[in-house]
Amino acid sequence: MNESDEGGPLGGLQTARRREALLLAPYAMHSCDSRGRVYPEAEHPYRGPYQRDRDRIVHSAAYRRLSGKMQVFTGDRGDYHRTRLTHTQEVASIARTIGRALRLNEDLIEALALLHDLGHPPYGHAGEDALDECLQAAGGFSHNRYGLTVVEVLEHRSPDYPGLNLTREVLDGQLWRGEKSAEPVQRLLEVRVVDAADSITYNAHDADDAVKLGLVTLEELAEVPLASDVCRALGKRLGTLHPEQARKLIVHDLIDCQVGDLLRHCSQQLADADLPDAETAGGSPLRIEVSPSLQVKKEQLEAFLYERVYRHPELLEMRAEAQARLHELFTQLCAQPDRLPIRFQKRAAEVGLARAVGDYVAGMTDRYCDQLHAQLCAGRRSRAMTRPA
Ligand code: MG
């Protein structure tokens, strides 16, 4: 037994190793098996490698800017609904719950979850589609791929390397998000948990926001099979509640029934698979998802949200306006590259002007994008002209 084992101070990796040996399943990604970082760094005295990744993401400018990026609804609609940041936090919370129950590496899951939407451009998926059109000749745009660019290149936390120098496990997890069509690929169970948590999270909170904002009624939501099951389980109590309270209870139970079903389904699958280590788990076809019968109902809820919320005439109008602004701003910046910040002018020399403009615009918050559009595209159709004061 060495001095450390007798109670002396341990390094971060040793602390993580001891903790994980007690808590994690064999198929979990253990910190001591990490493939490390592109730019080698000394071990931290009290934080494990995935804790450090999480902290680097939380302290990044791109992460803070998620508070100014819309999820589904713009800031014009009050302050109840989710932003890209609160969505991310809800995903991390649900993913950690799933990960802990399945005895996976929560630190890695948290880092992956906090990173998963870091590359979202302004104006949500409308903005992503517009940027993809703007960048067609340069290879298109994907928020998942851009998230990697942010943490590998654009963020600056150290004079010793570009990006955040995250562990290879976190980078590979994000790389998988950007190339899902390339399956089958090696991916850790922790990566699959975050993907499952993402869809459970946005189904529930988009339903909540849509009812709260009046795009659909609670009665309409309650007719969707999964919500109908939840209402039936709540029984007569539901009818005694104020509608606000009823909505919150239904949304809570929508999450709870999906997470509970997923855990029952996956626990059995994991027991049957008897995976000896994370590498074997990463190559296995095991899926982290709800049971087949619940999957049908989950997809019915997603179809309802697509038809009644994401394609709502008010959202389609907002989407068209936002895309027009983004196209105009992109065109204007390509025509006036001297208006780019110096570091993006330098980046244009490396990756081409269109990609550098795309990288700059994708990093903006909704509000900053509006402001710059108003500045640079004066005389064109501006947001200020189309919206009430
Ligand atoms: Mg997401």
Side-chain angles (χ1 to χ4, degrees), residues 71 84 87-88 91 116-117 120 143 177 198 202:
Q71 178 70 15
R84 192 62 61 179
H87 159 73
T88 296
V91 172
H116 91 281
D117 270 352
H120 247 291
H143 78 270
R177 293 187 64 81
D198 191 21
Y202 63 66

Side-chain angles (χ1 to χ4, degrees), residues 55-253:
D55 294 345
R56 289 175 190 198
I57 293 163
V58 167
H59 289 272
S60 70
Y63 183 79
R64 288 192 296 280
R65 289 196 194 109
L66 293 179
S67 68
K69 297 192 181 200
M70 59 174 278
Q71 178 70 15
V72 174
F73 304 103
T74 59
D76 300 359
R77 289 177 175 267
D79 55 10
Y80 176 84
H81 59 271
R82 276 70 176 177
T83 64
R84 192 62 61 179
L85 180 65
T86 62
H87 159 73
T88 296
Q89 290 168 328
E90 290 183 33
V91 172
S93 169
I94 291 173
R96 284 185 56 185
T97 295
I98 294 171
R100 186 179 299 189
L102 298 179
R103 298 174 59 214
L104 292 167
N105 193 318
E106 264 184 81
D107 291 334
L108 175 56
I109 284 174
E110 187 176 22
L112 288 163
L114 296 179
L115 170 58
H116 91 281
D117 270 352
L118 202 71
H120 247 291
Y123 313 137
H125 288 284
E128 174 161 30
D129 292 345
L131 268 182
D132 189 42
E133 290 165 11
C134 292
L135 286 163
Q136 268 311 299
F141 178 85
S142 142
H143 78 270
N144 286 317
R145 284 203 302 270
Y146 179 67
L148 261 189
T149 304
V150 168
V151 297
E152 289 188 312
V153 181
L154 298 178
E155 283 286 332
H156 286 291
R157 70 173 297 279
S158 166
D160 299 330
Y161 48 75
L164 302 180
N165 199 29
L166 303 176
T167 59
R168 288 185 170 88
E169 290 72 38
V170 170
L171 295 177
D172 284 354
Q174 184 63 23
L175 180 66
W176 172 80
R177 293 187 64 81
E179 297 177 355
K180 284 185 183 177
S181 60
E183 287 190 280
V185 292
Q186 176 85 9
R187 62 188 170 107
L188 298 167
L189 297 182
E190 283 82 354
V191 175
R192 306 179 202 199
V193 164
V194 173
D195 201 46
D198 191 21
S199 70
I200 291 173
T201 305
Y202 63 66
N203 287 341
H205 70 45
D206 290 350
D208 184 46
D209 288 348
V211 173
K212 173 71 178 178
L213 296 177
L215 271 67
V216 296
T217 66
L218 194 57
E219 289 71 25
E220 288 169 329
L221 174 65
E223 287 172 10
V224 181
L226 188 57
S228 166
D229 289 354
V230 162
C231 292
R232 201 173 311 116
L234 285 166
K236 290 179 182 170
R237 185 177 172 222
L238 201 56
T240 66
L241 298 174
H242 186 279
E244 284 272 313
Q245 197 62 60
R247 187 191 75 245
K248 290 175 183 174
L249 207 53
I250 290 170
V251 171
H252 168 275
D253 285 9

